[in-house]
Amino acid sequence: MKKVAYYKGCLASLSAKELDISTRALAPKVGYELLELESVTCCGAGDIHEAEPDYYLHLNARILSYAEATGCDTLMTVCNVCTLNLRQANYQLQIDTGLRERVNDNLEQVGVPRYLGTVEVKHFLWLIAGESFAELQAVAHKGLKGLKVAPFYGCQILRPSKLMGFDDPDKPTSLERIIEACGGEAIDYPAKIKCCGFPIIQAREDTALAELIQPIEQAKEAGADAMVTPCPLCHLSLDAWQSKLKKKTGKDFQMPILHLSQLVGVAAGLTDSELKFRRHVVSVAPVVEKLSV
């Protein structure tokens, strides 16, 4: 069992608790002991990065420092935005010793351990599609029984590719390999690598909904029974805002949206109390019923 530091971020702590619960239940089955970071804050999402870049850097350096203090070499995330923010900050701190020393001096004044730059940030998707793929195949014994699943990556786990570095940003395959390893059928469609519209929903709702409808509509037309995403922000958009799409377009997709840990969790035999499908806005019952046949 490999120990990894676990940073769940804001959404998995609050509105998407089902992501945290299913991740905790699944992790030991695929070979990971999670050491949760408790004395940490939000990564700043995209807002603080743009408005106060030095403040953003300190926020993320603090998270990286506490991850390093666990003795782990890996900081595991479950959110695309957290992954991008932490990897960007980590890259800056690792290549610029002077910057790292300045940030460390500031954080040390409030009791934070000095960060040496030894941690690597990895999304849970990358771990189970990479180094623990064999464990994933072994635990997915219940299978998805041919369930047609449309993968939705979102944009921030793929780009900038030189910084993220795991998947091909134009032709990713990690979610497809996981779906098929769990006995499902991966549905291909063009919008799977596009933005979900979340970052602009407050400022330009019409534009955000125009982004959002593309993956859901294409997945539906391609015959998907459900969609899966590795990002809680994408999940929020795809799941909760189908009602906004219905009001605006009259189209009622009723497309179930699963977190990655829930999809694999179904195949691994997690219980209802570990999957927490009842927390979803769009019912997952059609998926459960199909798998029960």
Side-chain angles (χ1 to χ4, degrees), residues 63-133:
I63 297 167
L64 291 163
S65 174
Y66 281 119
E68 192 176 61
T70 66
C72 300
D73 61 6
T74 299
L75 172 57
M76 189 187 98
T77 56
V78 289
C79 170
N80 291 6
V81 178
C82 296
T83 306
L84 177 58
N85 273 331
L86 284 161
R87 285 184 70 88
Q88 281 179 325
N90 204 26
Y91 177 73
Q92 289 180 266
L93 295 166
Q94 286 175 332
I95 65 168
D96 190 337
T97 305
L99 176 66
R100 187 171 72 243
E101 289 303 303
R102 179 176 68 79
V103 172
N104 274 333
D105 288 346
N106 292 335
L107 291 178
E108 195 171 43
Q109 294 180 37
V110 292
V112 179
R114 297 185 76 82
Y115 180 54
L116 303 177
T118 63
V119 168
E120 185 172 4
V121 180
K122 296 182 180 179
H123 193 290
F124 188 48
L125 166 63
W126 300 349
L127 293 176
I128 60 175
E131 63 189 49
S132 65
F133 189 66

Side-chain angles (χ1 to χ4, degrees), residues 227-238:
M227 298 175 71
V228 63
T229 178
C231 179
L233 294 170
C234 296
H235 185 276
L236 175 62
S237 301
L238 294 165

Side-chain angles (χ1 to χ4, degrees), residues 195-197 207-216 237-238 241-242 245:
C195 176
C196 67
T207 303
L209 293 179
E211 290 289 322
L212 178 64
I213 195 172
Q214 293 180 49
I216 298 176
S237 301
L238 294 165
W241 296 347
Q242 287 187 45
L245 289 177

Side-chain angles (χ1 to χ4, degrees), residues 264-279:
V264 179
V266 169
L270 296 190
T271 64
D272 291 344
S273 63
E274 294 169 324
L275 295 168
K276 296 287 184 187
F277 284 145
R278 291 181 180 178
R279 291 180 56 85

